[in-house]
Amino acid sequence: MDIATILHTAGFYFFALLTVVSAAIVVFNKSILRSVFALLFTLFGIAGLFLFLHADFLAATQVLIYVGGVIVLLLFGIMLTQKVVEADIRTGKIQFTPTLIAMGILFIFLLFLIFQTPWSTGGEHAQFGNGTTAAIGTLLMTEWLLPFEISSILLLAALVGAVSIARARRTNE
Amino acid sequence: MDPTAVLQIKNSIPYFVPELMLSATFLLVLIGEIVTKRSTYGGFGLITLGGLIATAFLSLQLYKLPETSLFFRMIVVDNFGIFFKVIFAVSAILVVLFSMNSPELEKYSAGEYYCLIIAVVLGMNLLASSTNLLMIWLALELVSIPSYLLAGFLKEDKLSTEAALKFVIYGSVSTAIMLFGFSYLYGMTGAYEINDIRAALKAGEINSTVLLITVSLILVGIGYKIASVPFHFWLPDVFQGSPTAITAFFSYGPKAAGLALLIRFFYGVFAEGGPAYEVVGGLYWPALMAMMAAITMTVGNVVAIWQTSMKRMLGYSSIAHVGYMLMGFVLLRQDGIQAILFYLMIYMVMNLGAFLVVIALSGQMESDDLSQYRGLAARSQFASAILGIFMLSLTGIPPFAGFIGKFYLFAAAVHAEFYWLVIVAVLNSVVSFVYYGGVVRRMYLEEASSNTPIVLPSLSRTLLVILAIAVLAMGVYWSPIADYSERSARFFSQKAAIAKVD
Amino acid sequence: MITLAPGLYHYLIIAAILFCLGLMAILTRRNGIAILMGIELILNAANLNFVAFSYYVTRTLGGHVFVVFNILLAAIEAAVALAIVFAIYRHFHSVEVPDVNIMKG
């Protein structure tokens, strides 16, 4: 066990725990503001895990768009729609526990799926030698061109519509 | 860059013209609105109509080209796909015509409205033709996201905004769950494209429960789109709150697209391009689908009975009709698929017709409540007669087209030897007479609250006459439509080569 | 199968945990924005699955490309959802889903 492997393993578990614990806070914490910050850490944790999977471009994109964009968006949303002092009363424990149990059962099903499937992991893991960015770029322009172009229309339509809805009332001339 | 890749893209483009036309219309309307700064529902509606008619025409031209798969097997062009392109364009044309005469939309911006509708039509076209998991996901979102915005388009109306919120929550959750299922499917098969997935599933030895879990996750997303039970909870509120023209749009287009996806996905992944289902997940899959069909139609019909809002009632009615159509899906055979396609054509006419009456009357009625329809016969002979035709056709009474449509679906179920399902469907049709007939009863046998006569605008009258004649005509002479649906129940099989047009 | 060193199963388990937590958030929380966060958790779980499969199973970049589009779509959905949330807030002065319930039945 050399130092590199130890660091590698330790690093992985650090990010894994960061992700999972933060996600738990997102779900169970009563304060919406704390939940959003916990989500921030969850997304960072995921970015870290991406790095351990040699997904450099994705890790960067995750930080840029998710952390930089979505979190900021959520924070604005909270700031503009919440009262300053939180008065959050959870709907009694009655609905909470059965859902928790149901989720537990679902999780067991998923574990079953994970362990029973013969994932074909023969051989070594992928070698993305010089980083993935250039390769992804080429793929987006060749094999995945159609989704790329279609998503630009989707982006435009969503933008137009979202601004239209969120804008303050203003009657048509 | 790899020259063969460029060549393949270049060769795919001629097949893609309908969608390109839609994109061009989209941009034209958007830029038009920015440039002119004054958008009317009439003016921009005409531009949109032009684009949609051109799209329909171009879609029909596709029949001349050989069937093939495009853009690195992202989508295919085959009879099944072209059928849906045509009906999406036609239904969108009708919805745009409705919107042009819709009083409630008047004070909102038209350009954005039409842009969103065009985007949804583009998404539906792609959804019915996609053979790649990413493309399916993207097309589904292209249909859903502008829909959320269209549902909430009446910004000043509380109900509309509430509808949008419920829609976006239900929709996003369902599609996210489906995506999670896709991720497992990718891991199991290492493939994105439907034919590759099928090959890999056959070769590998996937535990059947595992497959069941994955397919269930995927069905959450598809079930939400077609609003089958138990994924239908979003529908009544969304239908009630949305602008009525949009409700009409939702009642047909996206559901048909979802059905197309369902058929293509299941057919491609499980049915091995052949006539029958295989056993999936250790379960006899057809039985499960039959139960879903039965539950969906029953819930739709039964809950519709005590609705007081017309739009909500029509919403539950659309759930019921999806249940009927799922009967054709039980055994993925030619006759079942043909029955679904046949019913889709008939359903478009009678369902959208009913909505058009509602829209046309909405200007002169105080609310959406069913009590407003009392004594309509005294106030407008025309409206009540036409609405009566559509209501009876939806029930499935001869000699209207609805009867023939249901007959084909029942025949498919009988052929598949699901006799209990046919009995359930017949009982459901009888039950549906309670609420469809209830509307007719109110119109003809009850007293109106006010006696002012109602006059419908002439464009609406013309359109309604055309639709009503179609319903009556298809009830007696349906063979061209039956032939068309039979021709359309053909899929592109993987064995042919990728586009090699010179 | 399960070793101390990270392998495919570790990532899949983390993703499954995230999925269940996300679903939990969606089902139990009343605040519209909290539900949106639950959706983001599920989408991230799917992304983690894709990248892990890309690394260990398929060894191509197909999974990565899917994730690129996922991130894009998640951002779009969040933006649209928040636009609707703003509109809701203007009408109802609350973003708690139980409060926004005029239509019933």
Side-chain angles (χ1 to χ4, degrees), chain B residues 133-464:
Chain B
L133 290 183
L134 177 60
M135 206 61 224
I136 290 176
W137 159 240
L138 201 56
L140 195 59
E141 292 288 51
L142 187 52
V143 173
S144 302
I145 292 180
S147 297
Y148 307 149
L149 295 166
L150 282 169
F153 204 71
L154 305 175
K155 279 186 288 195
E156 303 197 5
D157 179 11
K158 274 192 181 183
L159 290 186
S160 181
T161 316
E162 180 186 334
L165 181 70
K166 292 189 173 166
F167 203 7
V168 76
I169 290 179
Y170 270 107
S172 305
V173 170
S174 310
T175 48
I177 295 178
M178 181 177 95
L179 180 69
F180 195 67
F182 277 172
S183 70
Y184 282 139
L185 199 57
Y186 175 63
M188 285 178 215
T189 58
Y192 283 124
E193 205 262 337
I194 287 187
N195 293 295
D196 295 344
I197 292 177
R198 177 180 70 236
L201 283 179
K202 282 191 165 336
E205 308 213 330
I206 312 284
N207 182 310
S208 52
T209 320
V210 160
L211 200 53
L212 184 62
I213 297 177
T214 310
V215 170
S216 305
L217 289 172
I218 295 175
L219 268 183
V220 171
I222 302 183
Y224 136 77
K225 204 71 226 164
I226 64 177
S228 63
V229 176
F231 307 115
H232 68 289
F233 290 103
W234 57 274
L235 190 140
D237 289 342
V238 170
F239 270 47
Q240 190 185 354
S242 307
T244 315
I246 294 298
T247 308
F249 189 43
F250 287 162
S251 74
Y252 187 70
K255 287 194 188 214
L259 279 170
L261 172 66
L262 184 67
I263 295 174
R264 209 187 264 286
F265 186 77
F266 272 79
Y267 194 79
V269 173
F270 295 116
E272 120 174 17
Y277 261 117
E278 308 207 337
V279 175
V280 174
L283 292 183
Y284 188 50
W285 201 250
L288 205 68
M289 285 289 122
M291 257 199 317
M292 199 160 101
I295 296 177
T296 303
M297 68 172 86
T298 311
V299 167
N301 278 316
V302 168
V303 182
I305 293 180
W306 59 77
Q307 294 307 313
T308 52
S309 147
M310 181 61 143
K311 279 155 76 171
R312 250 180 128 80
M313 185 194 94
L314 286 174
Y316 277 107
S317 132
S318 69
I319 293 179
H321 284 273
V322 166
Y324 297 135
M325 284 192 269
L326 283 175
M327 280 201 301
F329 181 68
V330 165
L331 275 181
L332 266 182
R333 287 205 287 236
Q334 182 81 358
D335 58 348
I337 298 177
Q338 179 196 346
I340 296 178
L341 298 181
F342 184 64
Y343 199 76
L344 276 175
M345 283 192 280
I346 294 183
Y347 183 60
M348 166 163 72
V349 176
M350 56 186 183
N351 189 48
L352 290 182
F355 271 105
L356 180 55
V357 178
V358 174
I359 293 173
L361 291 171
S362 64
Q364 295 162 61
M365 282 189 178
E366 292 154 16
S367 79
D368 176 47
D369 204 273
L370 279 171
S371 58
Q372 293 287 320
Y373 288 83
R374 286 206 189 128
L376 191 61
R379 296 170 72 183
S380 168
Q381 294 259 353
F382 179 74
S384 46
I386 299 274
L387 187 57
I389 292 178
F390 292 133
M391 289 286 124
L392 292 177
S393 183
L394 283 166
T395 317
I397 292 180
F400 299 107
F403 171 70
I404 301 297
K406 284 202 180 145
F407 183 76
Y408 268 76
L409 286 169
F410 292 176
V414 165
H415 197 201
E417 295 177 14
F418 273 88
Y419 303 114
W420 65 270
L421 188 57
V422 183
I423 296 178
V424 168
V426 171
L427 286 175
N428 263 286
S429 298
V430 173
V431 167
S432 73
F433 185 64
V434 173
Y435 60 92
Y436 289 129
V439 174
V440 178
R441 173 181 51 93
R442 282 189 187 86
M443 292 195 296
Y444 283 96
L445 298 180
E446 291 191 13
E447 285 292 312
S449 46
S450 87
N451 270 323
T452 50
I454 293 183
V455 178
L456 298 181
S458 56
L459 177 62
S460 304
R461 291 177 80 99
T462 324
L463 210 48
L464 281 171

Side-chain angles (χ1 to χ4, degrees), chain A residues 13 29 66 81 122 124-125, chain C residues 4 29 40 44 55 59 74 89:
Chain A
Y13 280 107
N29 195 304
Y66 255 128
T81 60
E124 264 307 308
H125 55 73
Chain C
L4 194 60
R29 295 205 58 157
E40 296 298 335
N44 272 287
Y55 188 67
R59 280 167 241 128
Y89 186 70

Side-chain angles (χ1 to χ4, degrees), chain A residues 8 11 14 20-21 66 100 105:
Chain A
H8 185 243
F14 168 71
V20 173
V21 170
Y66 255 128
L100 195 58
I105 296 176

Side-chain angles (χ1 to χ4, degrees), chain A residues 83-141:
Chain A
K83 306 177 182 43
V84 176
V85 175
E86 279 287 329
D88 195 344
I89 314 157
R90 168 136 332 152
T91 52
K93 290 255 173 206
I94 309 169
Q95 287 165 335
F96 185 74
T97 326
T99 318
L100 195 58
I101 297 176
M103 289 300 112
I105 296 176
L106 178 62
F107 183 60
I108 293 177
F109 270 114
L110 289 177
L111 280 180
F112 175 77
L113 186 154
I114 291 174
F115 286 110
Q116 286 293 96
T117 315
W119 313 108
S120 48
T121 52
E124 264 307 308
H125 55 73
Q127 308 289 341
F128 297 131
N130 287 324
T132 56
T133 312
I136 292 182
T138 312
L139 283 174
L140 282 177
M141 280 288 124

